[in-house]
Each structure stands twice: as structure tokens, then as C-alpha cells.
Amino acid sequence: NAGVMQNPRHLVRRRGQEARLRCSPMKGHSHVYWYRQLPEEGLKFMVYLQKENIIDESGMPKERFSAEFPKEGPSILRIQQVVRGDSAAYFCASSLRTSAGNTEAFFGQGTRLTVV
Amino acid sequence: DQQVKQNSPSLSVQEGRISILNCDYTNSMFDYFLWYKKYPAEGPTFLISISSIKDKNEDGRFTVFLNKSAKHLSLHIVPSQPGDSAVYFCAASDRNAGNNRKLIWGLGTSLAVNP
């Protein structure tokens, strides 16, 4: 059972370009979370998705950022018109849902975005 | 406002001794706590968790203690091994979040275990 797969591992974009980050959850997991880690900071929640639905996007900037988790295929985090401040490590996590609601999330290796 | 605080950015321990990593939280609605370990250039790896109905959970060399009245938890690693050297993150989730068990993270403690 493959773990959470993120690609690309490293992404370099010029200011103003678009960045697309992909995340394939673990097999059987239907819950996906995106987190961002800025340099010298902890992980910050961005968005929580279930298949075809955005459940909570309260941590995502209102402009330029969007996320989707289609019925088929990976979850995509899209950043339009990137700026230098978007440079960070972006982590995707997936989880099952237990009846108790408590379950650990499994993380991918992250995508390191560098905006030049 | 940092709801989960790890006040020690780094910790150095001798191999074979105990490592104690601390975490404090401010939100009394947090009911589930997790510790993750992270190596450079990798994603966090789940270590151990504890529900607020317990005060201790043990898994091999790792034990997590929860003191709800003090809003404090700690991770004990004994005996510490050089391979334990990593950044350790404390995370919490909120029962009021309903179906969204998003995690609120501390800033991490970098543990160095010296041979």
C-alpha cells in the first residue's frame, strides 16, 4: 500500500506563473488535508477536502489559491500568479474516518515551492 | 495566536538517556493530541497519540502524558537513540470541529541524540 504521494517534490516558478501541486492519498482514504510550512515556522492548516467537496478552506488565502479533490484523480492545490511569499513546503495528508472521529493523518513528502 | 506551543526549539540528549519533549496548549476544546516526527526534506511521520479521556499512552520507547488541568502534554523517549534525532511536532484537534479533524501544530522541537 503506497503512502501519500505528492508531486512534484520540488517546483520552481517565476513570479506571476501558476503552480500546481498534486497529492494522491493513501488507498482507501477519502479525506485530504493541505498544510503549508513557511521557513522557520510550524505547519499551518490550509484546506480540508473530501471527494468532490471542500469541507473547510478557512486556512487558505482568499485570493490566488484554490484546491480540488475530484472523484477521479489526485487532489490539486493551485496557486495562481505566485509571489515570493508563496515559497514554502506544502504538505498533503490523508486519513480514514473512524467512528470515533479520531484518526492520525498520514503525510506525503511535501512539495517545496520556490518562487524566483 | 499560537494555540499549541512548544517552548523549547531544541533539545540535546545523550544516547541511552531519556528525552522529554513538552507541549502546552491554550484551547480547552482540544480533545485529541498527536506527536509527529519529521526528518529534513520529508513529511511528518505519525508517532503516537492520546485522547483527552486518557492521561497516558505508551508505545514501545515512546510514552505520551497528558495533564488536562495544566493543558500540558509531554513525549518521553527512553532510551533515546541517535536515529531519534529529528524535529518533533505536537499537534491537537478540536472536538467542536465536527467532521473536520484538522490539526493545529506547534512550531516543533529539534531533538539531537548524541552517541
Side-chain angles (χ1 to χ4, degrees):
Chain A
N1 186 10
V4 178
M5 304 299 292
Q6 287 188 251
N7 68 82
R9 290 290 307 276
H10 301 275
L11 182 61
V12 180
R13 283 287 177 267
R14 296 188 184 280
R15 280 178 294 170
Q17 290 185 318
E18 178 180 286
R20 280 184 178 240
L21 289 65
R22 293 173 185 77
C23 170
S24 297
M26 285 183 71
K27 187 176 180 182
H29 288 193
S30 58
H31 302 262
V32 167
Y33 300 78
W34 284 93
Y35 291 85
R36 175 166 67 173
Q37 185 180 25
L38 294 168
E40 309 302 323
E41 293 190 16
L43 280 77
K44 295 284 170 60
F45 167 79
M46 296 183 74
V47 61
Y48 163 47
L49 310 104
Q50 294 179 25
K51 280 288 185 181
E52 299 185 274
N53 289 306
I54 296 175
I55 308 301
D56 181 348
E57 56 183 348
S58 59
M60 203 150 68
K62 295 287 186 286
E63 297 178 353
R64 303 187 298 108
F65 285 73
S66 63
E68 63 177 9
F69 188 16
K71 188 175 180 181
E72 302 291 337
S75 175
I76 306 287
L77 178 67
R78 184 180 175 209
I79 312 172
Q80 295 178 293
Q81 299 174 321
V82 295
V83 300
R84 287 228 170 99
D86 297 332
S87 296
Y90 292 82
F91 291 99
C92 168
S94 71
S95 70
L96 286 168
R97 176 62 60 229
T98 66
S99 57
N102 292 332
T103 181
E104 66 265 22
F106 293 86
F107 281 78
Q109 292 186 300
T111 294
R112 273 143 195 87
L113 173 65
T114 303
V115 180
V116 297
Chain B
D1 180 34
Q2 196 72 21
Q3 296 187 68
V4 176
K5 300 177 184 177
Q6 293 177 257
N7 291 320
S8 298
S10 61
L11 175 68
S12 183
V13 169
Q14 206 65 27
E15 181 178 6
R17 308 294 289 267
I18 185 171
S19 296
I20 299 177
L21 297 101
N22 293 304
C23 179
D24 297 288
Y25 60 96
T26 57
N27 188 342
S28 58
M29 302 308 288
F30 287 150
D31 66 338
Y32 191 57
F33 304 89
L34 307 92
W35 284 94
Y36 281 81
K37 176 166 116 173
K38 186 180 180 302
Y39 294 115
E42 293 188 12
T45 303
F46 171 75
L47 265 181
I48 191 168
S49 62
I50 188 166
S51 165
S52 58
I53 62 173
K54 294 185 175 181
D55 54 18
K56 177 183 175 181
N57 189 24
E58 190 172 352
D59 183 2
R61 296 186 297 114
F62 301 91
T63 303
V64 56
F65 296 91
L66 175 62
N67 182 334
K68 288 189 292 293
S69 60
K71 294 193 181 69
H72 176 83
L73 64 155
S74 60
L75 174 68
H76 293 211
I77 307 172
V78 55
S80 301
Q81 299 172 356
D84 295 330
S85 299
V87 178
Y88 289 78
F89 288 96
C90 171
S93 69
D94 173 1
R95 61 173 167 250
N96 273 354
N99 202 33
N100 177 6
R101 302 298 282 187
K102 68 186 180 188
L103 298 175
I104 310 300
W105 296 74
L107 296 182
T109 296
S110 178
L111 172 66
V113 180
N114 305 309

